[in-house]
Amino acid sequence: MPERRTVALVTLGCARNEVDSEELAGRLAADGWELVQDASGADVAVVNTCGFVEAAKKDSVDALLEANDLKDQGRTQAVVAVGCMAERYGKELAEALPEADGVLGFDDYSDISDRLQTILNGGIHASHTPRDRRKLLPLSPVERQSAAGVALPGHGDASPASESAEIVPAPEDLPEGLAPASGPRAPLRQRLDRSPVASVKLASGCDRRCSFCAIPSFRGSFISRRPSDVLGETRWLAEQGVKEVMLVSENNTSYGKDLGDIRLLETLLPELADVDGIERVRVSYLQPAEMRPGLIDVLTSTPKVAPYFDLSFQHSAPGVLRAMRRFGDTDRFLELLETIRGKAPQAGVRSNFIVGFPGETEADFAELERFLTGARLDAIGVFGYSDEDGTEAATYGDKLDGDVIAERLSHLSRLAEELTAQRAEERLGESLQVLVESVDPEGESGEAAVGRAAHQAPETDGQVIFTSGEGLRPGRMVEAKVVGTEGVDLVAECYELSGGDPRIPGEEAAR
């Protein structure tokens, strides 16, 4: 009988990392590793790190140190770093953080089981030397699909150089609950929780060259997954009980450009919405400069596709945006929002913003305030600028004093909190379709339940709190009426069901 080997995956950062963790889990489970939730009960703790901004990197280091402490307390024998921070810094991270027993890059994912076994046995696997992953794929997007040997987390094993090359199918004797998401080259995936929501990777990498962002250098150039793979993975997730899929990548609006059809997302979304068992499809990470009328139409009019717009504005002052190597301005952004809400008045919109960018003047900051005040966003993330290694902006002069950045960050964060609370109040009386995500039978006033409406993405955008959880269960899509707010969160009463008719409390059944 083979020796029992246990592993825990600790995931930090965005939904893309969550997908990567489930791919790693699938590979490990297929090779006989037992997945456990608590790192203290695992032989190996694998920390999937984030390398986006300084705060995220600090959180990743803290998580690695916390996992390392477990080696003195219980079963844990090794701590291994994977993910964006590990890929971005490689040997440098290993030297700065000797508490990590291994630092593995994306190229190690296909052999993750062997890598962990080597480390668990006391061996050393050399940390990789970071490289600019944009240079691994052809410059021309249409040539990237035939490129071989490039590790793309979430895409499965690297595709062979030609269709005639040998394709090794996944093993047939996989553990229960584990399967290739789609096709012989698709990733193995093991769900790490029972949430009715799951992310699906639409693409990887980014071809944009925003001056503040280092992500393309360690995630690589943009490459789409084939529609058949995305559909196959969605069908598999539906079989696992998933009701909502969220499409993720560094830039979903570029989907299909390397497959010969920049409008491919518009045709894929209705197909995903038709998958049996799927109740909602959500698209994240949209670039305002790449929004197309046809895409807006599909997002606002397709049944089961959430009218949800996660738009990466970053700023609205023209001078700051140009320095960021981005496009647009306050008025054009407001016109885009007006177009969206003209087609779907209840549409949800969220965005992130950077304050204190080099050269940002008081007038620029006031322009950003003007935009936020007029935009009526449902969720707002605000970050203070910090230099990122290897970015163009790090070389800029005219840097703002740290105290000025902190003051602007504090001011805009308070404004964002006020504005999103006001936007929530605008939804009083609205009828919403809410996906129930959790029910607590031990709530203070009986069963307590929370869920999310179409304008609320997981983790970032607030939630719907039901006045009663009676009769509700996770994964059920219900109709509810907004009766109150708690900051950005909504309080709602679920429609009563009687003879199949939806009933709003206090009103006659609609017939």
Side-chain angles (χ1 to χ4, degrees), residues 364-387:
D364 293 330
F365 187 66
E367 184 69 0
L368 178 55
E369 285 188 276
R370 181 171 82 88
F371 172 67
L372 288 179
T373 302
R376 296 168 54 232
L377 302 179
D378 292 277
I380 300 170
V382 184
F383 301 88
Y385 172 81
S386 63
D387 286 339

Side-chain angles (χ1 to χ4, degrees), residues 253-274:
T253 35
S254 283
Y255 180 68
K257 73 175 186 179
D258 52 325
L259 295 172
D261 186 359
I262 192 60
R263 291 177 291 276
L264 195 56
L265 184 56
E266 285 97 299
T267 58
L268 176 60
L269 284 171
E271 294 183 74
L272 292 171
D274 283 342

Side-chain angles (χ1 to χ4, degrees), residues 300-324:
T300 55
S301 65
T302 307
K304 295 188 178 182
V305 173
Y308 176 80
F309 294 81
D310 176 10
L311 293 163
S312 178
F313 289 121
Q314 302 299 343
H315 212 284
S316 73
V320 175
L321 286 168
R322 301 307 174 267
M324 290 179 170

Side-chain angles (χ1 to χ4, degrees), residues 343-364:
K343 296 177 180 293
Q346 290 185 328
V349 186
R350 81 163 327 273
S351 191
N352 293 325
F353 300 89
I354 298 172
V355 299
F357 193 79
E360 181 190 64
T361 65
E362 291 186 5
D364 293 330

Side-chain angles (χ1 to χ4, degrees), residues 110-122:
S110 61
D111 297 312
I112 187 67
S113 178
D114 289 343
R115 300 287 188 265
L116 296 191
Q117 188 64 59
T118 295
I119 294 169
L120 185 60
N121 290 343

Side-chain angles (χ1 to χ4, degrees), residues 135-465:
K135 299 178 180 179
L136 302 182
L137 291 168
L139 185 62
S140 170
V142 296
E143 296 176 3
R144 293 172 188 166
Q145 291 288 329
S146 60
V150 179
L152 299 169
H155 291 236
D157 291 327
S159 300
S162 69
E163 290 301 319
S164 61
E166 182 181 3
I167 296 174
V168 180
E172 297 180 358
D173 55 342
L174 293 171
E176 184 177 354
L178 175 64
S182 63
R185 291 194 299 265
L188 294 171
R189 182 168 179 176
Q190 172 76 57
R191 297 220 64 207
L192 293 175
D193 60 38
R194 296 184 178 181
S195 169
V197 183
S199 296
V200 173
K201 192 167 285 191
L202 193 63
S204 289
C206 185
D207 288 341
R208 300 182 71 87
R209 294 296 179 261
C210 301
S211 63
F212 57 85
C213 184
I215 289 176
S217 67
F218 56 85
R219 276 289 183 179
S221 297
F222 183 89
I223 183 166
S224 304
R225 293 182 68 198
R226 293 188 177 277
S228 57
D229 287 341
V230 178
L231 276 164
E233 186 164 346
T234 299
R235 293 189 184 103
W236 178 79
L237 287 168
E239 292 171 359
Q240 305 300 305
V242 169
K243 299 300 180 183
E244 176 181 326
V245 292
M246 183 168 72
L247 303 181
V248 299
S249 76
E250 280 72 22
N251 178 9
N252 282 332
T253 35
S254 283
Y255 180 68
K257 73 175 186 179
D258 52 325
L259 295 172
D261 186 359
I262 192 60
R263 291 177 291 276
L264 195 56
L265 184 56
E266 285 97 299
T267 58
L268 176 60
L269 284 171
E271 294 183 74
L272 292 171
D274 283 342
V275 171
D276 286 344
I278 295 299
E279 297 289 342
R280 180 184 289 155
V281 179
R282 183 184 305 277
V283 184
S284 61
Y285 305 114
L286 301 169
Q287 289 291 338
E290 298 180 31
M291 289 301 297
R292 305 175 292 276
L295 180 56
I296 294 174
D297 287 342
V298 171
L299 288 170
T300 55
S301 65
T302 307
K304 295 188 178 182
V305 173
Y308 176 80
F309 294 81
D310 176 10
L311 293 163
S312 178
F313 289 121
Q314 302 299 343
H315 212 284
S316 73
V320 175
L321 286 168
R322 301 307 174 267
M324 290 179 170
R325 297 203 179 280
R326 297 178 66 85
F327 306 94
D329 55 50
T330 295
D331 292 334
R332 273 188 276 187
F333 290 164
L334 291 176
E335 288 173 6
L336 173 60
L337 296 178
E338 184 178 357
T339 298
I340 290 169
R341 290 177 175 134
K343 296 177 180 293
Q346 290 185 328
V349 186
R350 81 163 327 273
S351 191
N352 293 325
F353 300 89
I354 298 172
V355 299
F357 193 79
E360 181 190 64
T361 65
E362 291 186 5
D364 293 330
F365 187 66
E367 184 69 0
L368 178 55
E369 285 188 276
R370 181 171 82 88
F371 172 67
L372 288 179
T373 302
R376 296 168 54 232
L377 302 179
D378 292 277
I380 300 170
V382 184
F383 301 88
Y385 172 81
S386 63
D387 286 339
E388 284 297 313
D389 299 333
T391 62
E392 181 183 352
T395 69
Y396 288 176
D398 204 11
K399 299 282 176 63
L400 275 63
D401 185 81
D403 290 341
V404 173
I405 296 176
E407 182 181 348
R408 291 182 182 180
L409 176 62
S410 177
H411 175 82
L412 206 69
S413 297
R414 290 195 302 271
L415 177 62
E417 188 174 338
E418 293 173 5
L419 292 172
T420 52
Q422 290 174 14
R423 177 67 182 126
E425 290 174 357
E426 291 178 18
R427 294 190 180 274
L428 285 169
E430 279 189 9
S431 295
L432 305 173
Q433 278 197 321
V434 183
L435 178 64
V436 181
E437 291 196 332
S438 65
V439 178
D440 180 7
E442 305 299 327
E444 293 182 3
S445 56
E447 289 188 310
V450 297
R452 287 178 304 98
H455 70 281
Q456 298 168 317
E459 306 296 335
T460 59
D461 299 348
Q463 59 189 7
V464 173
I465 304 167

